[in-house]
Amino acid sequence: MNEPIILGIESSCDDTSAAIINGNKILSNIAANQTVHQEYGGVVPELASRAHQQNIIPVVEKSFTKANIQQKDISAIGFTRGPGLLGSLLVGTSFAKSLAMSLDVPLIEVNHLQAHILCHFIEDANPMPPKFPFLCLTVSGGHTMIVLVKDYFDMEIIGKTIDDAAGEAFDKIGKIMGLDYPAGPIIDKLAKLGNPDAFTFGKPKLENYDYSFSGIKTSVLYFLQKQLKENPNFIQENVENLCASVQKTIIDVLMKKLEKSAKDYDIKEVAIAGGVSANSGLREAMQKNVEKLDWNVYIPKFEYTTDNAAMIAMVAKLKFERGEFTDLRTSATARYDM
């Protein structure tokens, strides 16, 4: 039996993406990024949905061209139903439904968070995929959670943020420091040139596996307000050390809970996923635990960390094999439990 060829569509936030998968192999993974939000210091939902409308047809066409596949060759269409920005999701959902109807192929709805985790099963995401059960630290601008993954679609969230996500904390602290949006990659770049022990910031004290990042943001804010009174050029003169110290603080918080959960659940298979999994400091911290804690660590390729349609196509392929299809009555949803 030939492997299915599936088109995946992702539009949950501000990246319009389309990918084509054959079996577990990605044939194309195209994304259009939106720069319009930089001047506002964050994603503006109305502008995001308008940009998706402009981008989605060219992105899908390019995905077919790069994959050297014709529309008549696809077996199904997978799309992000949620969670995410409702206006953005509506564009991708509406397009997927229309195209599926015109091609008379099945429609498969995908949970965006499940897709981040299951991207590890794309053929070239890792040298080898994780073994069940495994823990996955799913960390991005909108979400931070530790997920116990017992099977492809048997997942339990054992810890999550009670306020800001880690990526959101990076961006908000970057904004305080006057860095451009998105600040996370800029902080990561500058952190490599600084001393991570130069400054100390407050860390949350939660008993379970849950996270909190708003306190770190407040700690940095008060610290900088005090320093700027004494030296108005403090941030410019110390930006590399500040970035290194902020990054170390956030990663220490992430890793402490992940290490605790791995120990308590007696699991050595540990993965990371989501946009912040591209952070070099977090990747280094994970690799250190290969020797320190005897973990088997799974870190996806950079192109599968941010919002991308390859991960949507991967989940759609797994659902296709199970015959889990949806119909044209389905609708986008901003909240969508795993």
Side-chain angles (χ1 to χ4, degrees), residues 55-75:
N55 292 336
I56 195 157
I57 291 175
V59 163
V60 170
E61 284 181 344
K62 194 171 179 183
S63 71
F64 276 105
T65 302
K66 185 168 183 190
N68 197 22
I69 292 289
Q70 293 183 315
Q71 289 187 6
K72 65 179 178 62
D73 297 325
I74 63 171
S75 313

Side-chain angles (χ1 to χ4, degrees), residues 87-149:
S88 295
L89 290 164
L90 277 167
V91 177
T93 302
S94 302
F95 184 88
K97 287 160 75 172
S98 302
L99 187 58
M101 188 164 57
S102 69
L103 297 175
D104 193 26
V105 296
L107 198 58
I108 302 169
E109 64 179 56
V110 175
N111 181 300
H112 179 83
L113 296 175
Q114 280 186 338
H116 270 304
I117 294 167
L118 295 176
C119 82
H120 285 279
F121 294 91
I122 295 170
E123 189 175 280
D124 64 337
N126 297 293
M128 60 187 299
K131 302 178 192 71
F132 300 116
F134 67 91
L135 288 175
C136 187
L137 173 64
T138 308
V139 55
S140 66
H143 305 276
T144 298
M145 56 182 68
I146 300 173
V147 183
L148 174 61
V149 187

Side-chain angles (χ1 to χ4, degrees), residues 32-82:
N33 308 112
Q34 300 178 7
T35 56
V36 66
H37 308 286
Q38 288 177 348
E39 60 185 291
Y40 299 98
V43 176
V44 181
E46 173 67 15
L47 296 178
S49 52
R50 287 176 185 271
H52 281 303
Q53 288 177 316
Q54 294 172 334
N55 292 336
I56 195 157
I57 291 175
V59 163
V60 170
E61 284 181 344
K62 194 171 179 183
S63 71
F64 276 105
T65 302
K66 185 168 183 190
N68 197 22
I69 292 289
Q70 293 183 315
Q71 289 187 6
K72 65 179 178 62
D73 297 325
I74 63 171
S75 313
I77 297 172
F79 67 97
T80 304
R81 184 183 171 212

Side-chain angles (χ1 to χ4, degrees), residues 242-262:
L242 282 167
C243 288
S245 301
V246 164
Q247 180 157 296
K248 181 179 186 290
T249 303
I250 292 173
I251 289 168
D252 284 352
V253 170
L254 287 170
M255 292 304 297
K256 185 177 180 182
K257 295 292 176 137
L258 186 59
E259 289 170 10
K260 175 177 167 57
S261 58

